[in-house]
Amino acid sequence: MEYRTEWTREEIRAIYDQPLLSLVFEAASVHRAHHSAEQVQVCSLISIKTGGCPEDCKYCPQAARYHTGVEASALMSEEAIVADAKQAMDKGATRVCLGAAWRSVRDSAQFDLVLRAVRKIADMGVEVCCTLGMLSESQAQKLKEAGLYAYNHNLDTSSEFYSSIITTRKTEDRLKTLDAVEKAGISVCCGGIIGMGETIEDRVSLLHTLATRNPHPESVPINLLVPVAGTPLEARPPVPIWEMVRMIATARICMPKAMVRLSAGRLERSLEEQALCFLAGANSIFSGEKLLTRPNCTFEEDEKMFALFGLTPRPSYAT
Ligand code: SAM
Ligand code: DTB
Ligand code: SF4
């Protein structure tokens, strides 16, 4: 085994709590030992089915029960999905992530459409990721056969804090889907959100669950809560950047080979703050004017940032 999976919570807490600059130095050293530190993965999100979701995730603008101004729309056509993916690829994305506001996947004509789109996009040479909610083993298998590279399914927070954020499912339901994805031979993309009112112990608990999985997730998105008017978390204050840096650095140290993604919430952060996150071991971003429903940094802005920092986009299927 090239990395540890038997972390204790105390060990992870000690890493998280160490003096900030030592933490960043250690994370940067681990990062450089396992990755080319100049390469950052550029991912692009396509919301193939927006809004109208039956779940009650308190952070989410797409939950039907909150009045957030996000209208429920139908699943995009196969042609439109593939065209958007092509456009993202032309702008420099090497991973395309298709997101649907579903609780879980149903075997249906809609799922067949997604499978066909995955096949076409994979054939263009980019890594394809999907995030469609909970999956069965046979659905994961079908996605694998269609050429899916990764599946995103976040644990979002600790199992202890989970019911304060989501009541329509449990951490165990999420873990079952992660197991199905892994069993089908698809890379697991799994992370969480900070800034929802969780304690440091909750953050450590989330990292502990991720870092004691064997294998570790291939990618770990760390989202900063984007507070959305109409959701129960609309008034959460922004997380100090130091806490984001600690979360990223601790994820990097505990999961040295994973891609650690500086995900939602980047638009609100300065270049200096983002530079600190890259130094602390983040090596992946979402680029493009929109996340799923919220605005994000454009490809052009990110190109300028890459030039300023001396970063280059990581190629697709790099090992
Ligand atoms: N419905 C599927 C699911 O829940 O797995 C896929 C889409 S869901 C929008 C994907 C992820 O987006 C969530 O797990 C959460 O981590 C993130 N997310 C949603 N709203 C967010 C917000 N306001 N701020 C930060 N991250 C958010
Ligand atoms: C992830 O961890 N973050 C992305 C992606 N995986 C699917 C989604 C962020 C969504 C932010 C809120 C929005 O745009 O609606
Ligand atoms: Fe639905 Fe996913 Fe949003 Fe939860 S996070 S409300 S499951 S779209």
Side-chain angles (χ1 to χ4, degrees), residues 134-155:
M134 292 180 275
L135 285 183
S136 68
E137 285 188 11
S138 73
Q139 290 164 344
Q141 194 55 49
K142 283 184 187 162
L143 284 164
K144 173 71 184 177
E145 283 158 16
L148 192 77
Y149 185 78
Y151 195 80
N152 166 258
H153 201 61
N154 291 337
L155 289 174

Side-chain angles (χ1 to χ4, degrees), residues 26-205:
E26 187 185 342
S29 309
V30 170
H31 186 191
R32 279 160 174 72
H34 291 89
H35 300 267
S36 148
E38 284 73 41
Q39 280 189 355
V40 168
Q41 180 185 48
V42 177
C43 311
S44 171
L45 283 163
I46 305 174
S47 185
I48 63 169
K49 155 72 182 88
T50 306
C53 185
E55 303 278 79
D56 72 350
C57 314
K58 285 195 170 62
Y59 49 79
C60 189
Q62 302 197 66
R65 65 190 73 201
Y66 312 133
H67 300 285
T68 62
V70 173
E71 296 296 325
S73 56
L75 179 64
M76 284 168 67
S77 70
E78 185 185 329
E79 294 69 35
I81 298 170
V82 174
D84 279 8
K86 173 85 175 54
Q87 199 180 25
M89 198 181 154
D90 291 344
K91 294 216 168 189
T94 61
R95 179 177 289 195
V96 171
C97 179
L98 310 180
W102 287 331
R103 168 180 165 77
S104 56
V105 168
R106 269 179 280 172
D107 294 299
S108 61
Q110 298 206 330
F111 184 44
D112 293 340
L113 184 157
V114 175
L115 292 171
R116 290 195 302 273
V118 167
R119 168 49 61 206
K120 289 205 173 141
I121 301 168
D123 286 347
M124 301 190 309
V126 277
E127 296 170 21
V128 193
C129 175
C130 278
T131 183
L132 313 170
M134 292 180 275
L135 285 183
S136 68
E137 285 188 11
S138 73
Q139 290 164 344
Q141 194 55 49
K142 283 184 187 162
L143 284 164
K144 173 71 184 177
E145 283 158 16
L148 192 77
Y149 185 78
Y151 195 80
N152 166 258
H153 201 61
N154 291 337
L155 289 174
D156 283 324
T157 192
S158 69
S159 57
E160 297 80 11
F161 192 56
Y162 206 77
S163 61
S164 309
I165 299 296
I166 302 153
T167 69
T168 49
R169 55 169 193 258
K170 295 193 175 71
T171 294
E172 294 82 76
D173 300 320
R174 298 298 269 188
L175 291 170
K176 257 188 228 152
T177 292
L178 293 177
D179 291 342
V181 167
E182 219 163 73
K183 201 166 161 193
I186 299 169
S187 294
V188 167
C189 170
C190 182
I193 306 179
I194 67 172
M196 303 191 293
E198 71 288 341
T199 62
I200 292 172
E201 214 41 54
D202 288 315
R203 293 179 192 161
V204 167
S205 170

